[in-house]
Amino acid sequence: MASAYTGERRTHLEALAALLKGQGLVSRLVGGDEPVLWTWHPRSGRRTLVFATPSRQGWQFLWSPGGLHDAEDPEGAAGKLRDALEMPEAE
């Protein structure tokens, strides 16, 4: 049985996932009772895992490399993810 903590994490990730298609991204919620959002950009091929975690300021989205955004603003997070994943990787 999932905890309230897991339920809140899932709610934040689902809200973000619902906005990613509009940013040209694809995502899938994975991880069962410890959900994360697998997100990728179909044209660039870049991908990342997005975590939702509580902090002193409330819930935050975290992703690699160095992505961080307030979970209360999923629209802003979706835009930042698009920007991060459409950029070509450094060589």
Side-chain angles (χ1 to χ4, degrees):
M1 181 169 133
S3 69
Y5 173 84
T6 297
E8 191 166 356
R9 174 184 282 169
R10 183 176 301 280
T11 297
H12 288 299
L13 292 171
E14 287 173 345
L16 178 58
L19 298 167
L20 292 177
K21 186 174 183 178
Q23 297 291 333
L25 302 175
V26 180
S27 66
R28 182 181 336 167
L29 200 60
V30 297
D33 286 342
E34 298 294 330
V36 296
L37 191 62
W38 185 34
T39 306
W40 66 96
H41 193 294
R43 288 186 303 260
S44 73
R46 295 189 70 194
R47 57 198 172 278
T48 192
L49 290 174
V50 180
F51 298 85
T53 189
S55 71
R56 290 183 189 168
Q57 297 80 28
W59 283 80
Q60 301 284 317
F61 292 122
L62 305 169
W63 62 89
S64 180
L68 169 71
H69 199 82
D70 187 339
E72 295 301 319
D73 178 24
E75 294 90 357
K80 285 177 84 172
L81 275 162
R82 179 205 59 231
D83 292 346
L85 295 178
E86 73 183 0
M87 296 172 19
E89 292 194 46
E91 296 190 26

mmCIF file of all heavy atoms in Angstrom, residues 4 7 9 12 21 23 27 29 34 47 52 54 57 71 85 88:
data_model
loop_
_atom_site.group_PDB
_atom_site.id
_atom_site.type_symbol
_atom_site.label_atom_id
_atom_site.label_comp_id
_atom_site.label_asym_id
_atom_site.label_seq_id
_atom_site.Cartn_x
_atom_site.Cartn_y
_atom_site.Cartn_z
ATOM 1 N N ALA A 4 0.976 8.240 2.044
ATOM 2 C CA ALA A 4 0.547 9.585 1.646
ATOM 3 C C ALA A 4 1.703 10.316 0.963
ATOM 4 O O ALA A 4 1.495 11.062 0.008
ATOM 5 C CB ALA A 4 0.052 10.358 2.860
ATOM 6 N N GLY A 7 1.871 9.132 -2.486
ATOM 7 C CA GLY A 7 0.740 9.695 -3.218
ATOM 8 C C GLY A 7 0.990 11.135 -3.622
ATOM 9 O O GLY A 7 0.665 11.541 -4.747
ATOM 10 N N ARG A 9 3.958 12.586 -3.993
ATOM 11 C CA ARG A 9 5.027 12.551 -5.003
ATOM 12 C C ARG A 9 4.433 12.206 -6.370
ATOM 13 O O ARG A 9 4.721 12.863 -7.367
ATOM 14 C CB ARG A 9 6.065 11.507 -4.620
ATOM 15 C CG ARG A 9 7.129 11.302 -5.699
ATOM 16 C CD ARG A 9 8.079 10.213 -5.332
ATOM 17 N NE ARG A 9 9.014 10.747 -4.354
ATOM 18 C CZ ARG A 9 9.865 9.997 -3.666
ATOM 19 N NH1 ARG A 9 9.888 8.697 -3.822
ATOM 20 N NH2 ARG A 9 10.700 10.556 -2.824
ATOM 21 N N HIS A 12 2.477 15.154 -7.948
ATOM 22 C CA HIS A 12 3.347 16.171 -8.551
ATOM 23 C C HIS A 12 3.914 15.691 -9.880
ATOM 24 O O HIS A 12 3.924 16.442 -10.867
ATOM 25 C CB HIS A 12 4.490 16.543 -7.601
ATOM 26 C CG HIS A 12 4.060 17.348 -6.429
ATOM 27 N ND1 HIS A 12 3.472 18.595 -6.531
ATOM 28 C CD2 HIS A 12 4.122 17.084 -5.107
ATOM 29 C CE1 HIS A 12 3.194 19.066 -5.333
ATOM 30 N NE2 HIS A 12 3.581 18.159 -4.447
ATOM 31 N N LYS A 21 4.034 16.791 -22.940
ATOM 32 C CA LYS A 21 3.718 16.565 -24.356
ATOM 33 C C LYS A 21 3.601 17.895 -25.096
ATOM 34 O O LYS A 21 4.064 18.035 -26.219
ATOM 35 C CB LYS A 21 2.442 15.752 -24.499
ATOM 36 C CG LYS A 21 2.144 15.369 -25.926
ATOM 37 C CD LYS A 21 0.964 14.441 -26.033
ATOM 38 C CE LYS A 21 0.762 14.049 -27.481
ATOM 39 N NZ LYS A 21 -0.349 13.118 -27.632
ATOM 40 N N GLN A 23 5.281 20.409 -24.603
ATOM 41 C CA GLN A 23 6.637 20.933 -24.752
ATOM 42 C C GLN A 23 7.452 20.096 -25.747
ATOM 43 O O GLN A 23 8.650 20.302 -25.884
ATOM 44 C CB GLN A 23 7.352 20.951 -23.394
ATOM 45 C CG GLN A 23 6.715 21.850 -22.377
ATOM 46 C CD GLN A 23 6.878 23.326 -22.729
ATOM 47 O OE1 GLN A 23 7.810 23.723 -23.405
ATOM 48 N NE2 GLN A 23 5.962 24.137 -22.248
ATOM 49 N N SER A 27 7.188 11.214 -21.826
ATOM 50 C CA SER A 27 7.517 10.789 -20.465
ATOM 51 C C SER A 27 6.729 9.550 -20.090
ATOM 52 O O SER A 27 5.714 9.222 -20.706
ATOM 53 C CB SER A 27 7.230 11.910 -19.465
ATOM 54 O OG SER A 27 5.837 12.174 -19.409
ATOM 55 N N LEU A 29 5.833 7.472 -16.236
ATOM 56 C CA LEU A 29 5.999 7.309 -14.799
ATOM 57 C C LEU A 29 6.443 5.873 -14.532
ATOM 58 O O LEU A 29 5.809 4.927 -14.991
ATOM 59 C CB LEU A 29 4.674 7.605 -14.097
ATOM 60 C CG LEU A 29 4.713 7.936 -12.621
ATOM 61 C CD1 LEU A 29 5.548 9.167 -12.350
ATOM 62 C CD2 LEU A 29 3.306 8.161 -12.106
ATOM 63 N N GLU A 34 7.967 3.997 -5.501
ATOM 64 C CA GLU A 34 8.978 5.064 -5.471
ATOM 65 C C GLU A 34 9.017 5.696 -6.861
ATOM 66 O O GLU A 34 9.996 5.583 -7.593
ATOM 67 C CB GLU A 34 10.355 4.496 -5.095
ATOM 68 C CG GLU A 34 10.415 3.875 -3.722
ATOM 69 C CD GLU A 34 10.214 4.905 -2.613
ATOM 70 O OE1 GLU A 34 10.573 6.086 -2.792
ATOM 71 O OE2 GLU A 34 9.689 4.518 -1.554
ATOM 72 N N ARG A 47 17.721 12.389 -22.493
ATOM 73 C CA ARG A 47 16.736 11.918 -21.530
ATOM 74 C C ARG A 47 17.244 12.138 -20.112
ATOM 75 O O ARG A 47 18.441 12.301 -19.888
ATOM 76 C CB ARG A 47 16.415 10.463 -21.754
ATOM 77 C CG ARG A 47 17.620 9.557 -21.702
ATOM 78 C CD ARG A 47 17.324 8.210 -22.345
ATOM 79 N NE ARG A 47 18.520 7.405 -22.467
ATOM 80 C CZ ARG A 47 19.425 7.505 -23.421
ATOM 81 N NH1 ARG A 47 19.279 8.404 -24.363
ATOM 82 N NH2 ARG A 47 20.475 6.725 -23.449
ATOM 83 N N ALA A 52 10.577 13.955 -7.600
ATOM 84 C CA ALA A 52 9.849 14.936 -6.800
ATOM 85 C C ALA A 52 10.196 14.636 -5.344
ATOM 86 O O ALA A 52 10.065 13.498 -4.892
ATOM 87 C CB ALA A 52 8.348 14.829 -7.033
ATOM 88 N N PRO A 54 10.383 16.386 -1.148
ATOM 89 C CA PRO A 54 10.072 17.511 -0.262
ATOM 90 C C PRO A 54 11.355 18.231 0.157
ATOM 91 O O PRO A 54 12.424 17.626 0.228
ATOM 92 C CB PRO A 54 9.388 16.855 0.936
ATOM 93 C CG PRO A 54 9.833 15.440 0.924
ATOM 94 C CD PRO A 54 10.162 15.101 -0.497
ATOM 95 N N GLN A 57 11.360 24.371 1.425
ATOM 96 C CA GLN A 57 10.514 25.305 0.679
ATOM 97 C C GLN A 57 9.257 24.652 0.105
ATOM 98 O O GLN A 57 8.499 25.297 -0.588
ATOM 99 C CB GLN A 57 11.307 25.926 -0.479
ATOM 100 C CG GLN A 57 12.486 26.761 -0.063
ATOM 101 C CD GLN A 57 13.720 25.945 0.299
ATOM 102 O OE1 GLN A 57 13.921 24.839 -0.197
ATOM 103 N NE2 GLN A 57 14.525 26.474 1.199
ATOM 104 N N ALA A 71 7.857 22.409 -7.412
ATOM 105 C CA ALA A 71 6.792 21.524 -7.904
ATOM 106 C C ALA A 71 5.439 22.212 -7.953
ATOM 107 O O ALA A 71 4.516 21.716 -8.603
ATOM 108 C CB ALA A 71 6.722 20.265 -7.045
ATOM 109 N N LEU A 85 16.714 19.492 -22.354
ATOM 110 C CA LEU A 85 16.803 18.287 -23.172
ATOM 111 C C LEU A 85 16.921 18.555 -24.670
ATOM 112 O O LEU A 85 17.352 17.683 -25.420
ATOM 113 C CB LEU A 85 15.597 17.374 -22.903
ATOM 114 C CG LEU A 85 15.527 16.814 -21.482
ATOM 115 C CD1 LEU A 85 14.265 15.971 -21.306
ATOM 116 C CD2 LEU A 85 16.772 16.015 -21.143
ATOM 117 N N PRO A 88 22.015 20.378 -27.485
ATOM 118 C CA PRO A 88 22.936 19.267 -27.796
ATOM 119 C C PRO A 88 23.897 19.043 -26.633
ATOM 120 O O PRO A 88 24.236 19.972 -25.909
ATOM 121 C CB PRO A 88 23.681 19.753 -29.042
ATOM 122 C CG PRO A 88 23.484 21.219 -29.068
ATOM 123 C CD PRO A 88 22.204 21.527 -28.321
#
